[in-house]
Each structure stands twice: as C-alpha cells, then as structure tokens.
Amino acid sequence: MCFDISPAYLSCKKKQPFVSLGLLLLLVVFFSPPSAYSSSMELRENNSPLSLSEILKRAVYQNELMTKAMLGMQYQEKIEIQKLDYSGNPLKTDRLEFLVRPGEGFLLSADPRSGTLAMRKLSTQEIQKAQAANMVSDYLSLKNLLPRFALSYEGMGNWHGLSSYIIRFDPKPNQPYQSKIEKLINSIQGKLWISNEDFSVLYVEGRLPKPVDMAWFIAVVDKLDVHYHARKEKDICGHLPSFFDLEYRLKYLLGQTHVRQVISMKDFKLPLPIGGD
C-alpha cells in the first residue's frame, strides 16, 4: 500500500498503484498546485445576502489561492499515524516532524498494516510531473469535490468566534466513480464552515452514513471520520491548514485495517526578499 515516486516511475502513465486514502488526502489537499480559476471575486453589493452558489464560488477561489500560496511558504509539519484495534485503541504509533521549505512538498508512503512509514521530498516540478503522469488526481480539490455532492445551506454559524456559512453535503444517488477511492469519497456526508470574512474553509467534518463495499463482500469500509481545521496565521492573509484528522476502518475476510492519521501544520512564513536576513 505504498505509493512510490521514482524518476523512472514518473515517466510511466500506465501503472496505477493503490494509494491509501490518507496519502491521497495529504497529497491533494495540501500539496497539489491548483489550476487557474477564471472567475474573479466581486464585492458584495449593498450587503445583500449571498446565494449558495456564490458562497461556493468564492470559497473555491479562495481555496485555489491558498493552495498555490502554500507552495511559496515555509512551515513546520508533523504527521502521526496510529495503528488501532477494533475499538480504536492505539497499537502502534509513528511520528514524523519536519520543515517544509518554499517550493517543496513531502510525499508520505504508509503501510497501515505494519505501521511503517517512508517519506520523500518533492519539488513543485516533481509534484506537477506526478499529476501529469496520472499518478495523483485533483478530484479532492474543492472545485472538483463539491459537484459530487448534494449541497444545502444551513445558515450562519460561529466557529471559534468566527462568523461562518454552514454548508451541508450529502451523497448523490448513483454518482459515477472510476476507482474505489472515488466510490468512498462519493459516500461521505458532512458539513463545511466557510468564513464570512474571506471565504476560507475554516472547518470540515465528514463521516460515512453507512458501510461501503470496496471489493464485493470481501472488503468493506465501515468507518470513516474526517476533521479539518484552518487557522489564521500572523502576518499572512487568509486561513491556512492547521489540523487534519482522518480515521478509517477497512474490514476484510481475514482481518481489518484500522488507522488514524493526524497532520498538523504551523509556523507559516513567507519567503524572505532578496537580500533579507
């Protein structure tokens, strides 16, 4: 269940390795450079209420800006992977902490059965090559994720003192998919908290309302809980990723895989100007 990117492998478009859900979320949500977004943000006129479509359009735009900006920042990242028993008690824990510099990304390969970890440092160009080789997909970017779900506006709320729009998402019946990962993603329900100030995604919670068959009756995901937090960093506009928590349980004929992956990010810094200390 490891995801390997070697120079030779990058040139091969036919191989389709299995990518763990935690790895896919890590790579796409935090490290994938976004494509250009054609619509511009317009100021709200006369403080009139925004439609759901307008809220989402602005959130997608802000998410694209944030993802692209992160490739030019330096920050500390910590990754923790726990192998759990059926009840969720830790059996084995691995921790990694490192500094991400501007233009870098880190690819985490994990085998949740053994709890082993491997890490590779990637440049922006290598990440783009991986995308071009169809080794990673951007279907978890906000602009591609939202159309997969039935969306509804639940009103204004408050998240840690910040005014926010609350958007509910539910699975669409008979939503098409091209992989087991997409099938699993399509089955999640939950809510988004979107900042009323800058339209950053502040918080996400998601879960599986019912088990999902991954290989007929042989393998079933019966638990998937996702939580994402953002935080406003000092001297940096917008809210940046702070905490990502994913727990999933895959049951199969001869056993199960129960894993929790926690990613925390902090100390974001803009690159120093030429000649800066």
Side-chain angles (χ1 to χ4, degrees):
M1 296 179 71
C2 290
F3 185 29
D4 186 17
I5 291 189
S6 61
Y9 201 60
L10 282 173
S11 63
C12 179
K13 297 186 179 182
K14 294 182 180 180
K15 295 183 179 180
Q16 296 293 332
F18 177 79
V19 184
S20 71
L21 180 61
L23 168 61
L24 190 62
L25 290 169
L26 168 66
L27 190 62
V28 178
V29 174
F30 295 136
F31 299 136
S32 299
S35 58
Y37 187 71
S38 58
S39 300
S40 61
M41 291 183 64
E42 300 176 354
L43 295 177
R44 195 181 319 177
E45 297 181 359
N46 302 321
N47 294 320
S48 58
L50 294 178
S51 65
L52 174 60
S53 62
E54 183 65 20
I55 294 171
L56 297 176
K57 184 180 78 170
R58 298 187 185 199
V60 166
Y61 180 83
Q62 179 66 17
N63 181 257
E64 298 279 284
L65 291 179
M66 179 272 292
T67 308
K68 184 176 182 179
M70 284 185 62
L71 287 173
M73 295 183 189
Q74 175 178 296
Y75 52 91
Q76 291 285 340
E77 181 160 344
K78 181 179 180 180
I79 299 174
E80 180 176 290
I81 294 187
Q82 296 179 348
K83 183 179 179 181
L84 309 174
D85 63 17
Y86 188 86
S87 300
N89 301 310
L91 297 173
K92 177 180 175 61
T93 301
D94 278 312
R95 295 180 180 87
L96 293 169
E97 191 164 359
F98 47 90
L99 177 68
V100 180
R101 293 183 173 86
E104 294 180 348
F106 280 85
L107 179 67
L108 176 67
S109 300
D111 183 346
R113 297 185 187 183
S114 65
T116 58
L117 291 173
M119 181 114 64
R120 298 174 185 270
K121 181 186 291 187
L122 301 177
S123 67
T124 303
Q125 291 74 21
E126 288 173 318
I127 295 173
Q128 291 171 338
K129 287 180 181 179
Q131 290 177 312
N134 295 322
M135 294 182 59
V136 295
S137 171
D138 65 349
Y139 54 64
L140 278 180
S141 65
L142 196 61
K143 67 183 176 67
N144 291 333
L145 186 63
L146 293 178
R148 294 176 175 272
F149 298 97
L151 304 168
S152 57
Y153 175 57
E154 293 207 339
M156 298 297 297
N158 187 289
W159 188 82
H160 288 219
L162 300 174
S163 178
S164 55
Y165 303 101
I166 302 177
I167 310 298
R168 178 184 175 91
F169 57 94
D170 290 284
K172 285 183 178 179
N174 303 317
Q175 178 72 5
Y177 58 88
Q178 297 182 350
S179 68
K180 295 182 177 66
I181 292 293
E182 286 191 74
K183 180 181 181 181
L184 192 59
I185 293 169
N186 291 347
S187 304
I188 300 173
Q189 71 175 191
K191 295 181 182 180
L192 302 167
W193 277 254
I194 298 174
S195 169
N196 183 38
E197 176 186 358
D198 64 6
F199 296 90
S200 297
V201 177
L202 301 175
Y203 177 60
V204 181
E205 61 179 21
R207 56 179 290 274
L208 284 182
K210 59 183 181 180
V212 177
D213 295 332
M214 301 302 287
W216 299 96
F217 61 90
I218 300 176
V220 176
V221 176
D222 69 340
K223 180 181 180 65
L224 175 62
D225 293 321
V226 180
H227 296 88
Y228 166 84
H229 300 247
R231 178 174 59 202
K232 193 174 182 68
E233 291 285 329
K234 183 179 179 181
D235 300 325
I236 297 177
C237 296
H239 295 78
L240 298 175
S242 171
F243 179 81
F244 180 80
D245 187 346
L246 169 73
E247 181 180 346
Y248 64 94
R249 184 171 60 208
L250 173 66
K251 298 171 65 177
Y252 40 92
L253 288 179
L254 300 179
Q256 67 167 18
T257 296
H258 193 179
V259 177
R260 185 184 180 199
Q261 301 182 16
V262 179
I263 304 166
S264 58
M265 310 168 79
K266 64 179 182 178
D267 299 334
F268 287 88
K269 296 180 181 179
L270 295 170
L272 292 173
I274 296 176
D277 295 330

